[in-house]
């Protein structure tokens, strides 16, 4: 295409009856670049902070398989992507200067030939969302680690995942994924992330608690070295250390020795799971008795240790308790509520909170979730929540 | 094969582009597509008001600083990216857009054939 000259620009101004004296001297002659119509360019609207990240040289990643809605991930956050249509035409122009820039640079070229790189009538909107981490547990539960003697590990048809594998499969940022791996007590074995098989995990825990008992160590001061020495012949040292890290808080004393303060709540909770998984439900008072007897000497069991793990049915006579793990429930908000209301028609806020807490978005409260997905009513003077719609 | 949106140039700051927002659709005057064809002349008044002359129309607009800037994504890897996570991307962030020229006013037609008095 012919390149416009100053004379042509001036002629157009004259025809348009615009006074050059009222205009800045520089003009941009806009034309469509060679790739402009190709749809190769698109726009992504940036949430606060993302612009700064890009300018600092960090990258964003799109994650999602064909059956998943795509998300954009920065180093530590995850965003849903949604197409937004506009009735206007958006042209993207490189090298186009604003009036400020033109005024600031008196040497700016008189006739600037700008090529429009592309155009669109839509763009991608981003909205911060919860990382989609349920899949992480699902993948690692395909082959839980059963210990070094397990035959399963030898087979080649084994699904095993490295950090890179997880990054490409999970719709979450790297930091969110690494944090979740810590939360679920995953460990790296031979370069692959593994979750322990629960029975194996309890076996390891039992070794440790029995040793604590036989050595009469205080629960707040369990020595790492001695554990490794005494138990190293029974289990791999990495596993002993892993179980201590999972169920204790590591610290170093003044002499530089490593100790663990055992986590009473977590140990009691694990033992409860071990007991509850063997039956559909239990008589509550019988369970509480057995449970207290099963935990290490010096530990006290409390029902609130079981939030998000088990549910007490106060309406049955006698009262019962059954296993209900929040991590087994759907990840999607509506599906989660449908599932919960299918299990129990009416919930108190106290009972339902542990099962919806993880659904809260950045600044969202449990109350807000309940307002949106449930309907409240009074039952025997207590506020309860039930489904907004009939559950089929 | 994971789309990565990464910094396209290793040589410093990301390019800053400008968005021009027009009402209606852009259509090629001649058959053969838009590529290479002229859109128009963009002027600014001394007060900084953008004026766009497109064909026989004058459009007056305003400069808007975007509350939410845009990233321009271009398909294709551009220059190969050193990427720790494996394959380089299907999308590259080529530029940022923090400013737009919004033309919302009705175009004023340019009357060209005014018979001269003899």
């Amino acid at each position: 295409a012919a390149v416009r000259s100053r004379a042509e620009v001036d002629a157009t101004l004259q025809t348009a009856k615009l006074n050059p004296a009222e205009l800045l001297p520089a003009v941009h002659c806009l034309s469509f670049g060679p790739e402009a119509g190709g749809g190769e360019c698109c726009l992504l609207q940036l949430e606060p902070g993302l612009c700064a990240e890009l300018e600092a040289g960090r990258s964003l990643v799109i994650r999602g398989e064909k059956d998943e809605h795509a998300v954009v991930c920065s180093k530590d956050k995850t965003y849903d992507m949604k197409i937004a249509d506009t009735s206007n035409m958006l042209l993207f122009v490189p090298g186009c200067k604003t009036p400020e820039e033109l005024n600031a640079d008196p040497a700016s070229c008189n006739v600037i030939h700008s090529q429009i790189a592309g155009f669109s009538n839509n763009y991608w909107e981003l909205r911060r969302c919860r990382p989609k981490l349920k899949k992480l547990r699902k993948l690692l539960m395909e082959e839980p680690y059963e210990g070094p003697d397990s035959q399963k590990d030898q087979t080649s048809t084994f699904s095993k995942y490295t950090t890179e594998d997880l990054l490409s499969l999970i719709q979450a940022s790297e930091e969110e994924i690494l944090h979740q791996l810590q939360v679920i007590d995953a460990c790296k074995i031979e370069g692959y992330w593994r979750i322990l098989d629960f029975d194996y995990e309890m076996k390891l825990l039992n070794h440790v608690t029995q040793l604590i008992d036989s050595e009469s160590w205080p629960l707040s001061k369990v020595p790492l070295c001695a554990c490794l020495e005494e138990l190293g012949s029974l289990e791999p040292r990495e596993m002993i250390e892993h179980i201590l890290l999972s169920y204790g808080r590591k610290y170093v004393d003044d002499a530089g020795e490593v100790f663990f303060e055992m986590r009473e709540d977590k140990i009691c909770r694990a033992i409860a799971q071990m007991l509850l998984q063997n039956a559909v439900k239990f008589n509550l008072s019988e369970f509480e008795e057995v449970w207290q007897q099963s935990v290490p000497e010096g530990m006290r069991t409390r029902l609130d240790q079981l939030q998000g793990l088990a549910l007490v049915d106060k309406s049955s006579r006698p009262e019962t308790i059954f296993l209900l793990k929040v991590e087994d429930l759907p990840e999607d908000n509506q599906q989660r509520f449908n599932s919960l209301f299918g299990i129990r028609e009416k919930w108190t806020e106290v009972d339902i909170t542990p099962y919806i807490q993880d659904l809260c978005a950045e600044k969202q409260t449990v109350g807000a979730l309940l307002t949106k997905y449930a309907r409240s009513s009074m039952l025997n003077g207590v506020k309860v929540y039930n489904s907004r719609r009939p559950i089929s | 094969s994971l789309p990565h949106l990464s910094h396209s140039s290793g040589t410093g700051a990301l390019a800053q582009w400008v968005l021009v927002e027009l009402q209606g659709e852009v259509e090629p005057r001649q058959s053969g597509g838009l590529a290479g064809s002229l859109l128009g002349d963009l002027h600014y008044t001394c007060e900084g008001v953008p004026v766009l002359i497109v064909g026989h129309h004058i459009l007056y607009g305003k400069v808007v600083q975007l509350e939410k800037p845009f990233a321009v994504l271009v398909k294709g890897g551009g220059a190969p990216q050193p990427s720790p996570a494996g394959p380089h991307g299907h999308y590259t962030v080529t530029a940022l857009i923090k400013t737009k020229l919004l033309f919302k006013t009705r175009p004023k037609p340019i009357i060209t054939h005014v018979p001269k008095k003899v």
Side-chain angles (χ1 to χ4, degrees):
Chain A
V3 167
R4 281 175 73 71
S5 67
R6 183 79 238 180
E8 286 170 312
V9 168
D10 290 340
T12 302
L13 282 178
Q14 201 174 45
T15 311
K17 297 197 180 48
L18 291 171
N19 182 358
E22 291 171 1
L23 303 173
L24 296 183
V27 60
H28 292 82
C29 295
L30 303 177
S31 62
F32 288 92
E35 303 292 316
E40 297 297 313
C41 271
C42 65
L43 293 177
L44 182 71
Q45 193 178 52
L46 299 174
E47 284 300 301
L50 286 181
C51 192
E53 284 206 36
L54 285 171
E55 286 178 299
R58 286 192 282 278
S59 34
L60 301 178
V61 182
I62 300 180
R63 298 201 158 112
E65 315 250 304
K66 289 205 177 72
D67 59 334
E68 295 167 326
H69 290 299
V71 298
V72 166
C73 300
S74 64
K75 188 129 208 314
D76 63 346
K77 298 185 181 74
T78 306
Y79 302 83
D80 276 323
M81 293 176 77
K82 206 173 78 136
I83 275 274
D85 285 310
T86 155
S87 54
N88 293 343
M89 186 57 53
L90 306 171
L91 312 173
F92 343 129
V93 191
C96 178
K97 297 201 189 297
T98 60
E100 284 78 29
E101 286 164 340
L102 288 175
N103 284 327
D105 179 21
S108 59
C109 183
N110 217 249
V111 178
I112 305 166
H113 298 283
S114 295
Q115 286 204 329
I116 298 163
F119 59 90
S120 178
N121 63 359
N122 58 48
Y123 56 89
W124 289 101
E125 270 182 338
L126 295 181
R127 202 172 44 142
R128 177 99 194 264
C129 65
R130 277 183 289 122
K132 317 222 190 278
L133 295 168
K134 193 174 161 75
K135 191 174 171 185
L136 178 61
R137 174 181 278 272
K138 176 170 160 265
L139 292 179
L140 296 184
M141 292 290 272
E142 284 171 0
E143 298 285 0
Y145 183 66
E146 292 178 2
D149 302 327
S150 163
Q151 299 300 338
K152 283 189 175 185
D153 266 49
Q154 324 297 346
T155 60
S156 58
T157 54
F158 206 98
S159 2
K160 289 196 279 213
Y161 303 95
T162 61
T163 307
E164 275 63 51
D165 293 331
L166 294 176
L167 284 172
S168 71
L169 290 167
I170 307 295
Q171 292 187 291
S173 70
E174 183 170 356
E175 267 183 40
E176 288 162 331
I177 292 173
L178 291 175
H179 178 255
Q180 185 67 4
L181 285 168
Q182 208 179 44
V183 165
I184 63 177
D185 292 324
C187 58
K188 245 185 179 172
I189 299 173
E190 288 171 11
Y192 296 99
W193 285 102
R194 308 294 296 277
I195 273 186
L196 299 188
D197 169 76
F198 188 67
D199 291 343
Y200 180 59
E201 188 173 340
M202 289 301 101
K203 185 175 160 205
L204 288 168
L205 183 61
N206 194 46
H207 283 318
V208 169
T209 54
Q210 287 210 343
L211 184 62
I212 292 172
D213 192 52
S214 68
E215 297 289 326
S216 301
W217 288 326
L219 290 166
S220 59
K221 203 168 181 183
V222 175
L224 172 63
C225 276
C227 283
L228 293 175
E229 234 178 85
E230 297 298 321
L231 301 173
S233 55
L234 299 171
E235 297 292 344
R237 294 166 71 93
E238 301 80 41
M239 289 295 106
I240 296 164
E241 187 162 0
H242 175 74
I243 206 75
L244 285 166
L245 283 166
S246 301
Y247 286 91
R249 259 175 237 105
K250 185 173 172 178
Y251 66 95
V252 179
D253 77 350
D254 299 328
E257 263 196 76
V258 178
F259 291 92
F260 289 89
E261 180 190 352
M262 300 315 287
R263 293 161 66 178
E264 180 179 36
D265 290 349
K266 195 165 175 184
I267 292 173
C268 290
R269 188 185 170 98
I271 290 169
Q273 180 177 335
M274 193 174 68
L275 296 171
L276 288 168
Q277 66 181 17
N278 292 322
V280 173
K281 63 183 170 199
F282 283 83
N283 175 304
L284 179 63
S285 48
E286 278 176 25
F287 165 77
E288 284 184 294
E289 207 182 310
V290 173
W291 184 28
Q292 180 60 68
Q293 286 167 8
S294 308
V295 301
E297 183 83 38
M299 289 195 177
R300 286 264 283 281
T301 58
R302 294 184 328 267
L303 280 177
D304 67 74
Q305 291 163 342
L306 307 183
Q307 286 186 0
L309 177 70
L311 201 54
V312 171
D313 186 353
K314 298 195 184 78
S315 65
S316 61
R317 294 281 168 269
E319 289 181 336
T320 55
I321 184 168
F322 60 96
L323 197 66
L324 179 63
K325 292 196 276 176
V326 63
E327 55 261 30
D328 290 343
L329 299 173
E331 194 172 32
D332 167 78
N333 287 12
Q334 186 63 63
Q335 286 177 28
R336 171 79 60 92
F337 275 92
N338 291 353
S339 173
L340 289 171
F341 289 127
I343 291 164
R344 176 183 283 184
E345 200 190 328
K346 294 185 200 292
W347 291 75
T348 61
E349 187 167 341
V350 167
D351 279 351
I352 204 172
T353 295
Y355 292 100
I356 57 174
Q357 186 90 70
D358 62 309
L359 301 178
C360 289
E362 210 175 347
K363 289 185 182 111
Q364 198 176 30
T365 60
V366 162
L369 277 175
L370 287 169
T371 304
K372 186 169 177 188
Y373 292 98
R375 185 183 293 133
S376 70
S377 57
M378 295 302 278
L379 181 65
N380 301 330
V382 178
K383 191 173 189 184
V384 290
Y385 294 89
N386 54 291
S387 175
R388 276 184 174 273
R389 45 164 98 166
I391 301 285
S392 51
Chain B
S1 49
L2 237 218
H4 277 248
L5 306 177
S6 47
H7 202 305
S8 70
S9 83
T11 56
L14 216 49
Q16 303 278 345
W17 291 4
V18 163
L19 205 64
V20 173
E21 186 170 341
L22 303 173
Q23 283 192 330
E25 286 183 23
V26 174
E27 271 173 22
R29 207 173 283 137
Q30 309 104 313
S31 64
L34 280 171
S37 60
L38 291 167
L39 174 71
D41 296 341
L42 172 67
H43 297 267
Y44 296 105
T45 67
C46 296
E47 286 80 42
V49 174
V51 182
L52 186 63
I53 306 175
V54 180
H56 295 289
H57 297 103
I58 308 177
L59 305 170
Y60 289 88
K62 64 175 183 173
V63 178
V64 175
Q65 295 307 322
L66 295 171
E67 236 180 81
K68 290 190 185 177
F70 285 100
V72 182
L73 314 184
V74 173
K75 254 192 212 165
Q81 297 302 310
S83 167
H88 54 233
H90 296 175
Y91 295 94
T92 313
V93 175
T94 297
L96 290 177
I97 298 179
K98 296 182 179 174
T99 309
K100 79 172 172 187
L101 306 180
L102 175 61
F103 292 94
K104 257 188 168 179
T105 57
R106 290 179 141 270
K108 291 180 171 197
I110 300 168
I111 299 153
T112 51
H113 298 294
V114 177
K116 284 203 172 79
K117 281 190 177 153
V118 173

